[in-house]
């Protein structure tokens, strides 16, 4: 998401300049995506970061000393939300955007992107520590930021409902394919990916980190059901970082005897990710919760037909360009997978619909909408186009007029 937004902002014409704050330990990772109107600086160095590795058993005491030394606000859970020590104010900027769940209270007007409130809907998927952290940071960020920017109308409504903040404070800015900044896969790249991962076609593709809400377990159960009851063997390829929940998924693969049908490739290079979309027979997204699905629009970008869940923001994002199913039922997941695997006419229809729906999303338009949010937060005059973008909920309201659409070059 950040690569797409930074790349698109870098191509906008105008007087604005953007200062990209990279992490102190790895400040240069976004440098290849910067435009002529952008500079990269290293973020604030965490205090005591070097010393903590030397403290060993004394680290709890060091944490207490740090709390006394650093200005903080306390959220309702007692977790400390940091207050700027002057770093952000000293950058010479007019607005600061926090595109992650992290937030720092500062003297600058801020834009905050909390992504979603999944922890309130599925607290069982989070540790007590993370629940407390989110309670403090989300509440403070949503209430003190000038604008809360989210990717879907569903998330906007959820934030307004839970934090009782004015709806006009929450701006919906849909995102374009996160892989748009990566090169289009060539025939050579696709052949390489096919060989490297020893892919047996046809296969269904699910790119997702192995968090519990991604619902890999019901998808695996659906594959076993189709094999045993329908004699239909559907191969599945999965990618994504393997979390601490991965051993549970691996155990289930063995229990269901799916080792010869399922491949988990882990994290793959960008060029291979796009190649996998191109090589897949279809993409399946059985997730239980999404603010907006990256794989959904990534699949459309590479002409893959999609079946996805009917939860949260997915129906409004998919519109008529995906086969929708209930992710809570193994039976309905299995029915959707079987329909996608056996109905070629459906796949072609969804492929065409996906290409058409993709035209409703553009990094150029998203970047212009964020620029309008920055201008408004800074108290600057808005153009007619700015006002038009901020008034239009294009996740739900489809229009033929794409005058703000400028794809990344």
């Amino acid at each position: 998401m950040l690569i797409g937004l930074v790349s698109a902002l870098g191509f906008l014409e105008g007087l604005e300049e953007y200062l990209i704050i990279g992490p102190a330990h790895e400040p240069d990772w976004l440098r290849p995506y910067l435009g002529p109107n952008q500079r990269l600086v290293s973020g604030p160095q965490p205090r005591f970061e070097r010393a903590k590795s030397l403290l060993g058993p004394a680290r709890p005491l060091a944490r207490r000393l740090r709390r006394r030394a650093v200005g903080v606000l306390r959220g309702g859970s007692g977790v400390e939300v940091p207050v700027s020590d002057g770093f952000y104010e000293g950058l010479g900027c007019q607005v600061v955007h926090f595109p992650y769940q992290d937030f720092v209270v500062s003297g600058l007007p801020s834009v905050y992107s909390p992504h979603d409130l999944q922890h309130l809907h599925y607290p069982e998927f989070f540790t007590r520590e993370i629940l407390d952290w989110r309670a403090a940071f989300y509440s403070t960020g949503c209430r003190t930021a000038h604008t809360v920017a989210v990717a879907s109308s569903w998330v906007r409504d959820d934030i307004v409902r839970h934090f009782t903040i004015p709806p006009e404070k929450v701006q919906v800015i849909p995102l374009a394919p996160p892989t748009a900044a990566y090169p289009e896969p060539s025939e050579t790249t696709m052949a390489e990916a096919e060989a490297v991962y020893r892919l047996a076609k046809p296969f269904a593709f699910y790119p997702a980190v192995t968090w519990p809400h991604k619902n890999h377990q019901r998808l695996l159960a659906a594959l076993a059901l189709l094999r045993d009851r329908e004699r239909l063997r559907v191969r599945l390829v999965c990618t994504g970082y393997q979390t601490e929940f991965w051993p549970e998924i691996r155990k289930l693969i063995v229990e269901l005897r799916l080792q010869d049908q399922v491949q988990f490739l882990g994290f793959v290079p960008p060029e291979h990710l796009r190649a996998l979309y191109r090589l897949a027979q279809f993409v399946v997204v059985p997730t239980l919760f999404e603010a907006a699905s990256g794989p959904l629009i990534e699949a459309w970008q590479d002409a893959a037909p999609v079946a996805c869940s009917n939860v949260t923001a997915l129906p409004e994002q998919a519109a008529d360009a995906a086969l929708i199913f209930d992710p809570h039922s193994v039976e309905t997941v299995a029915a959707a997978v079987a329909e996608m695997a056996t109905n070629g006419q459906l796949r072609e229809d969804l492929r065409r619909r996906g290409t058409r729906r993709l035209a409703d999303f553009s990094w150029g338009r998203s970047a212009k909408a964020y620029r309008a949010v920055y201008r408004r937060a800074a108290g600057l005059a808005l153009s007619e186009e700015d006002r038009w973008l901020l008034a239009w909920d294009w996740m739900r309201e489809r229009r033929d007029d794409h005058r703000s659409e400028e794809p990344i070059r």
Side-chain angles (χ1 to χ4, degrees):
M1 173 263 182
L2 197 56
I3 288 172
L5 179 59
V6 167
S7 297
L9 288 170
F11 282 111
L12 293 184
E13 295 180 357
L15 299 176
E16 286 83 6
E17 294 181 354
Y18 302 94
L19 200 63
I20 311 300
I21 304 170
H25 65 283
E26 192 182 1
D28 290 334
W29 75 277
L30 277 170
R31 192 174 296 281
Y33 305 100
L34 299 187
N37 59 355
Q38 295 169 319
R39 288 191 298 118
L40 185 68
V41 298
S42 180
Q45 182 71 38
R47 291 182 172 89
F48 306 112
E49 199 63 33
R50 181 176 179 275
K52 76 177 184 182
S53 63
L54 307 174
L55 290 172
R59 284 176 65 180
L61 174 60
R63 282 196 291 269
R64 289 196 295 273
L65 291 173
R66 182 179 183 276
R67 293 189 187 107
R68 295 176 188 173
V70 181
V72 296
L73 291 180
R74 290 187 179 274
S77 62
V79 172
E80 300 168 343
V81 180
V83 175
S84 174
D85 61 1
F87 171 82
Y88 295 97
E89 295 85 346
L91 294 173
C93 298
Q94 293 170 282
V95 178
V96 58
H97 179 194
F98 295 97
Y100 299 132
Q101 291 96 331
D102 282 317
F103 186 76
V104 178
V105 178
S106 75
L108 294 174
S110 58
V111 177
Y112 181 49
S113 298
H115 297 302
D116 61 57
L117 305 183
Q118 184 199 147
H119 62 290
L120 299 180
H121 297 269
Y122 288 98
E124 65 271 24
F125 293 160
F126 298 86
T127 65
R128 182 74 259 168
E129 182 181 23
I130 293 176
L131 288 172
D132 289 344
W133 186 93
R134 286 193 171 208
F137 275 73
Y138 282 38
S139 176
T140 301
C142 288
R143 291 193 169 104
T144 62
H146 178 280
T147 302
V148 179
V150 297
S152 68
S153 309
W154 191 93
V155 174
R156 176 196 59 199
D157 297 343
D158 203 34
I159 287 174
V160 169
R161 180 169 61 253
H162 281 97
F163 292 126
T164 60
I165 60 177
E168 58 270 19
K169 182 175 181 174
V170 187
Q171 186 68 49
V172 177
I173 305 179
L175 304 177
T179 52
Y182 300 145
E184 186 169 337
S186 64
E187 292 295 329
T188 301
T189 303
M190 289 193 287
E192 177 185 87
E194 199 168 344
V196 167
Y197 304 117
R198 299 180 181 179
L199 300 175
K201 295 193 295 186
F203 64 87
F205 183 40
Y206 184 30
V209 175
T210 60
W211 287 316
H213 77 274
K214 296 298 184 180
N215 206 26
H216 289 89
Q217 289 172 304
R218 285 191 182 91
L219 178 58
L220 294 172
L223 296 182
L225 185 153
L226 291 174
R227 177 198 62 199
D228 298 339
R229 191 174 70 186
E230 307 294 338
R231 299 294 184 263
L232 177 62
R233 298 175 67 87
V234 178
R235 297 183 182 89
L236 174 68
V237 174
C238 298
T239 59
Y241 179 75
Q242 295 173 353
T243 68
E244 62 276 5
F245 190 66
W246 160 241
E248 295 294 321
I249 297 172
R250 182 174 55 196
K251 179 182 176 183
L252 183 61
I253 293 173
V254 175
E255 289 176 353
L256 295 176
R257 295 175 288 109
L258 289 170
Q259 298 97 314
D260 62 340
Q261 282 181 245
V262 177
Q263 289 176 269
F264 272 78
L265 306 181
F267 197 82
V268 300
E271 61 273 16
H272 286 174
L273 178 60
R274 290 200 63 177
L276 288 167
Y277 279 113
R278 294 283 179 97
L279 293 166
Q281 185 183 40
F282 64 94
V283 171
V284 59
V285 184
T287 180
L288 298 175
F289 195 100
E290 292 297 325
S293 173
L296 195 60
I297 45 180
E298 289 176 349
W300 295 335
Q301 177 183 239
D302 283 307
V306 187
C308 74
S309 302
N310 64 355
V311 299
T312 60
L314 291 181
E316 68 183 81
Q317 183 183 7
D320 63 352
L323 177 65
I324 304 293
F325 60 87
D326 177 5
H328 299 93
S329 164
V330 172
E331 290 277 350
T332 59
V333 175
V337 170
E339 185 70 8
M340 293 293 286
T342 60
N343 191 334
Q345 184 175 345
L346 171 66
R347 292 196 303 270
E348 286 307 308
D349 183 48
L350 289 176
R351 204 185 310 274
R352 289 191 296 270
R353 290 171 182 267
T355 299
R356 188 168 64 245
R357 179 58 168 154
L358 181 63
D360 293 326
F361 301 92
S362 152
W363 276 119
R365 191 190 313 154
S366 296
K368 287 185 176 183
Y370 267 105
R371 181 178 63 182
V373 165
Y374 301 154
R375 287 171 174 173
R376 185 174 61 186
L380 302 177
L382 300 182
S383 68
E384 178 187 354
E385 183 181 50
D386 291 337
R387 291 189 292 271
W388 176 71
L389 284 167
L390 296 178
W392 175 24
D393 183 353
W394 75 81
M395 177 67 90
R396 287 178 176 169
E397 301 172 20
R398 302 178 69 175
R399 296 182 182 176
D400 294 329
D401 184 355
H402 293 288
R403 57 179 167 170
S404 289
E405 182 173 352
E406 291 183 8
I408 298 174
R409 285 175 277 173

